[in-house]
Amino acid sequence: HYLDGNAKALNRAEAIRIVLEDLAIDPDRFAIEWVSSAEAPRFAEVVTRFTDKIRTMGPNPARAGQTAAENAA
């Protein structure tokens, strides 16, 4: 199930990227990475790197014009 699950996840990730593009959302705002539960430092690095990337990209243009309350919903 391990290999099959990874293949399914990759297929779903590609579908998500297509949907994001259709919604005019940069697909780079989505990522998939495999990290073992034994790799806590790597997990922290992956999350930090992705967070930094999103911060560099700036606010999601799809949410432009929404109030803070609407964004929180």
Side-chain angles (χ1 to χ4, degrees):
H1 95 79
Y2 177 77
L3 294 176
D4 185 47
N6 286 350
K8 286 179 182 178
L10 285 175
N11 289 335
R12 290 176 181 150
E14 185 54 35
I16 289 168
R17 289 185 173 285
I18 291 168
V19 170
L20 290 174
E21 287 177 356
D22 288 347
L23 296 172
I25 298 172
D26 187 344
D28 285 343
R29 291 182 175 276
F30 170 79
I32 185 167
E33 292 235 14
W34 279 268
V35 180
S36 165
S37 61
E39 299 177 292
R42 179 164 156 19
F43 174 80
E45 184 247 312
V46 166
V47 172
T48 299
R49 186 176 62 234
F50 186 73
T51 301
D52 291 345
K53 176 181 175 181
I54 296 299
R55 281 195 182 119
T56 300
M57 295 174 81
N60 182 355
R63 288 188 156 194
Q66 290 184 346
T67 66
E70 290 171 321
N71 286 338

